[in-house]
Amino acid sequence: MTPEPVTPEPMTTEEIVRYVVARAVWAPSVHNTQPWRFTADGGPRVILHADAGRRLAVADPDGREMMISCGAALFTIRLALRSLGYIPETRVLPDPAQPALVAEVSWRERAAADEFERRLSSHVLTRRTHRGAFDPEPLPPDTLAALRTAAAREGAALRIVADDGRRAALAAAVQTAEHQLRQDGERLRELARWTPAPGSARRDGVPATSYPARAERTQPYYPGRDFARGHGWGVPPLSLATSHRAAGVAGLLATTADRPADWVQAGQALQRILLTASACGAAVALHSQPLEVPWLREFLRTQLSDAACPHLVLRIGLVTQVALSVRRDPGDVLFPTGDDRADASPG
Ligand SMILES: Cc1cc2nc3c(=O)[nH]c(=O)nc-3n(C[C@H](O)[C@H](O)[C@H](O)COP(=O)(O)O)c2cc1C
């Protein structure tokens, strides 16, 4: 077979950096905090920093969810480079003295993107987090195998929770966590800071265009976050008819260890899973509520995760998505190396 020709180098280094960052900002992040900054020094490399000023101080004291979010941005940088025909060289947490320096990605060698990389890349801007129920139709064959492989390729595991008893236990953990979080004033105030009112001009946080106005019950029930906080915000249901709606296939994203490097790995795996699902025509709902409550996280680790460290509950299914999200402009997060604004703020 004749190898696919490498496309000619059409872009300058500066254009490549801007292209890569413009795509990376569309990675998912907890409460759409977008806890990242990027720096570039004019050479063929981009540096990803965690912006600790955007960490959820109450919900995420260790910065685990912040690093997962940065990991998702890192995967997107790598994929963007592949889509341009470059081979990314990645160093994760290259300097122990600078824990906010998440990764350095450089590129020199070229090789044309393959068909699958191009497909994944075409979903970066359109993939959306789903919130609510799914259609009852089963996933296309091989979807779950593709998602498990996606996690494994990034050094993480997607553990499908298949039997009814374990699914009920997983849903109960989400319910218990959500109940507990709704009683916690500090948590509610933090959530309020990341849930702008409809019509807000903000380019971060969870907009009212991205969650349903009415919780969709499923069996078992995985409650969503209370983004509307009693204001009645959110997308009205498409139809008032109550058709049979499904919870989807549930699973846990896990890594073998629980250090910052594992969190970054979990984030890269998450974005590969989400884009693979999107490329298979499926949508994914994310629940991190029980992972933010230490005793529930421990319960999930010992009872449903074979002692691997769980990071997120995922539900996967088919649905027509209507959610719209927002992002800050790449120009607001990309700085020349040494620029004061690029210094990670203390967490
Ligand atoms: C670590 C992490 C935890 C998340 N937890 C939740 C969650 O508990 N509930 C939820 O609805 N979305 C959750 N999300 C999804 C984000 O809210 C979502 O990525 C963000 O609002 C941007 O929207 P988009 O993914 O549609 O682009 C999480 C994402 C990450 C990376």
Side-chain angles (χ1 to χ4, degrees):
M1 218 170 78
T2 332
E4 229 180 293
V6 171
T7 46
E9 206 164 322
M11 294 161 94
T12 65
T13 300
E14 200 188 322
E15 285 167 340
I16 293 169
V17 169
R18 279 210 304 267
Y19 173 82
V20 160
V21 170
R23 300 182 74 83
V25 296
W26 285 96
S29 61
V30 63
H31 291 2
N32 202 16
T33 47
Q34 305 168 44
W36 44 61
R37 292 191 180 110
F38 307 85
T39 53
D41 63 3
R45 73 189 68 86
V46 61
I47 296 179
L48 165 62
H49 309 257
D51 180 348
R54 291 177 163 265
R55 179 175 58 85
L56 300 176
V58 185
D60 187 27
D62 301 331
R64 188 178 55 84
E65 294 184 293
M66 173 180 76
M67 290 308 242
I68 294 174
S69 306
C70 287
L74 173 57
F75 179 79
T76 319
I77 292 176
R78 289 168 45 211
L79 183 64
L81 286 167
R82 289 299 304 121
S83 75
L84 294 177
Y86 289 97
I87 301 177
E89 291 170 33
T90 307
R91 290 171 64 212
V92 172
L93 298 170
D95 183 354
Q98 298 185 66
L101 206 170
V102 177
E104 258 176 40
V105 189
S106 55
W107 55 94
R108 269 177 311 168
E109 311 278 320
R110 308 204 73 203
D114 64 27
E115 166 60 25
F116 188 63
E117 289 168 326
R118 279 199 292 269
R119 260 179 72 204
L120 284 194
S121 180
S122 71
H123 288 265
V124 165
L125 306 184
T126 51
R127 174 214 59 81
R128 291 281 72 81
T129 297
H130 177 62
R131 299 187 175 96
F134 292 100
D135 297 339
E137 287 75 29
L139 291 168
D142 302 332
T143 303
L144 291 180
L147 301 184
R148 278 204 211 91
T149 305
R153 283 198 55 181
E154 299 301 327
L158 175 63
R159 291 164 178 274
I160 302 300
V161 178
D163 78 72
D164 284 351
R166 287 157 66 87
R167 270 162 65 87
L170 185 61
V174 177
Q175 291 164 24
T176 308
E178 185 55 33
H179 180 76
Q180 184 168 325
L181 302 182
R182 287 183 192 206
Q183 315 298 313
D184 181 336
E186 255 193 312
R187 293 286 187 123
L188 294 177
R189 281 188 289 280
E190 183 170 77
L191 182 64
R193 286 198 289 280
W194 292 102
T195 44
S200 162
R202 268 178 65 177
R203 311 299 300 165
D204 59 4
V206 183
T209 52
S210 69
Y211 52 84
R214 223 179 49 194
E216 293 181 303
R217 300 291 298 205
T218 55
Q219 182 53 39
Y221 181 43
Y222 296 82
R225 301 257 188 187
D226 186 15
F227 294 120
R229 296 171 288 104
H231 293 292
W233 300 341
V235 181
L238 287 177
S239 134
L240 289 175
T242 45
S243 54
H244 176 63
R245 306 280 281 148
V249 175
L252 277 166
L253 175 65
T255 52
T256 45
D258 203 21
R259 300 153 307 184
D262 303 294
W263 306 339
V264 176
Q265 219 164 12
Q268 297 192 79
L270 173 66
Q271 179 68 324
R272 190 186 273 274
I273 291 169
L274 297 179
L275 295 173
T276 304
S278 212
C280 295
V284 183
L286 303 177
H287 296 271
S288 49
Q289 303 104 312
L291 290 315
E292 293 175 358
V293 178
W295 70 270
L296 281 170
R297 186 169 185 232
E298 185 58 11
F299 167 78
L300 295 180
R301 187 179 75 78
T302 54
Q303 303 302 312
L304 295 176
S305 196
D306 274 341
C309 305
H311 297 291
L312 272 171
V313 175
L314 282 74
R315 289 185 298 116
I316 306 143
L318 301 182
V319 70
T320 307
Q321 283 197 274
V322 290
L324 296 174
S325 193
V326 291
R327 291 298 191 277
R328 290 177 294 161
D329 276 343
D332 294 337
V333 291
L334 172 61
F335 305 102
T337 304
D339 190 304
D340 286 348
R341 290 166 301 170
D343 290 337
S345 40

